[in-house]
Amino acid sequence: MHVHLIPTIRRAVRRTWRDFLSVYYANTPIWRWLKSAALLFLGFFAWTGGAVLLSVKPQWTALHYAMAYGFLLIVWGPFTHFVVVPTAIKLRRTAESRTARTFARHASKISLTVFVALVVVFGTLTPGIMLLEFSPTVPGSGADAGAGGDLVCDVDDELVACHVENARGIDHVVVTTGGETIAVVEEPPFGFEIETEALEETRTGKEFTVEFRDERGERIQRHVRSVPA
């Protein structure tokens, strides 16, 4: 029984692949715009979504590759369907040289290979142009909706100095890095100083977390800040 299923599965895979190629090589203007728009949206979602998650979970370094994928897809998607595919189709019809015909036959594979290689390079090196800085503010489960404040920090090579402006309903501030508490401040304006050498090193720089808490110890807001390397 299983032997008879193998040809069926193979036919289904080949049919699916042919359907994919028919959409990939669809070259009318409307198809170009639809495919490019879909890939642009996917790329933007992967890029920004990865950046948001990374700001909350800086130890999830694999997110750099998701960000790289999305960042590059924003450009590579339209480039593929407005340049690579039309060029390959034209060369298939008009190319006379062996090199041009070979390129036309393998254009999609070449494009995909280059794209994957760039994703690996960008995900590994994480250039600054790809990074988005988020300082998420996460409300605590039992916190007053009107409580909170503005975290203001000055950073130099050796020291980070922060304080809270417009503090409302904050009883104390807890500063952590790498899961360890390095400061607890109980008096307004909740100022503190920390040496950059004491901060956890991540791929995007040294990072620390500041939590505003009420008198019951419940979290009001949470800020994640980074010190560029």
Side-chain angles (χ1 to χ4, degrees), residues 11-63:
R11 286 194 296 270
V13 171
R14 285 196 296 266
R15 184 166 56 250
T16 302
W17 177 246
R18 286 195 299 268
D19 292 341
F20 169 78
L21 289 179
S22 66
V23 174
Y24 181 86
Y25 282 106
N27 197 41
T28 60
I30 186 63
W31 269 112
R32 293 182 193 176
W33 284 105
L34 286 174
K35 291 183 290 186
S36 298
L39 292 175
L40 191 150
F41 175 80
L42 175 61
F44 183 78
F45 177 80
W47 180 28
T48 57
V52 171
L53 286 175
L54 189 64
S55 68
V56 178
K57 295 290 186 180
Q59 67 272 25
W60 293 359
T61 54
L63 289 170

Side-chain angles (χ1 to χ4, degrees), residues 24-183:
Y24 181 86
Y25 282 106
N27 197 41
T28 60
I30 186 63
W31 269 112
R32 293 182 193 176
W33 284 105
L34 286 174
K35 291 183 290 186
S36 298
L39 292 175
L40 191 150
F41 175 80
L42 175 61
F44 183 78
F45 177 80
W47 180 28
T48 57
V52 171
L53 286 175
L54 189 64
S55 68
V56 178
K57 295 290 186 180
Q59 67 272 25
W60 293 359
T61 54
L63 289 170
H64 287 108
Y65 295 96
M67 290 177 61
Y69 171 80
F71 176 77
L72 291 169
L73 192 62
I74 291 174
V75 176
W76 206 264
F79 172 75
T80 296
H81 294 291
F82 278 97
V83 178
V84 176
V85 172
T87 301
I89 292 174
K90 182 178 180 180
L91 288 176
R92 285 184 176 186
R93 297 171 179 172
T94 62
E96 296 180 358
S97 68
R98 178 178 298 177
T99 301
R101 291 195 298 270
T102 301
F103 172 80
R105 286 196 304 270
H106 301 287
S108 59
K109 296 178 182 178
I110 295 172
S111 177
L112 181 60
T113 301
V114 173
F115 176 73
V116 171
L118 288 174
V119 169
V120 173
V121 171
F122 273 60
T124 302
L125 300 181
T126 58
I129 192 175
M130 188 186 77
L131 298 177
L132 294 174
E133 293 294 336
F134 288 92
S135 295
T137 300
V138 183
S141 58
D144 182 356
D150 302 317
L151 180 65
V152 179
C153 294
D154 294 320
V155 181
D156 60 30
D157 292 338
E158 298 180 354
L159 194 69
V160 178
C162 302
H163 67 278
V164 180
E165 295 183 352
N166 304 318
R168 304 175 306 279
I170 300 175
D171 180 73
H172 60 281
V173 168
V174 179
V175 185
T176 61
T177 184
E180 298 183 0
T181 300
I182 57 176

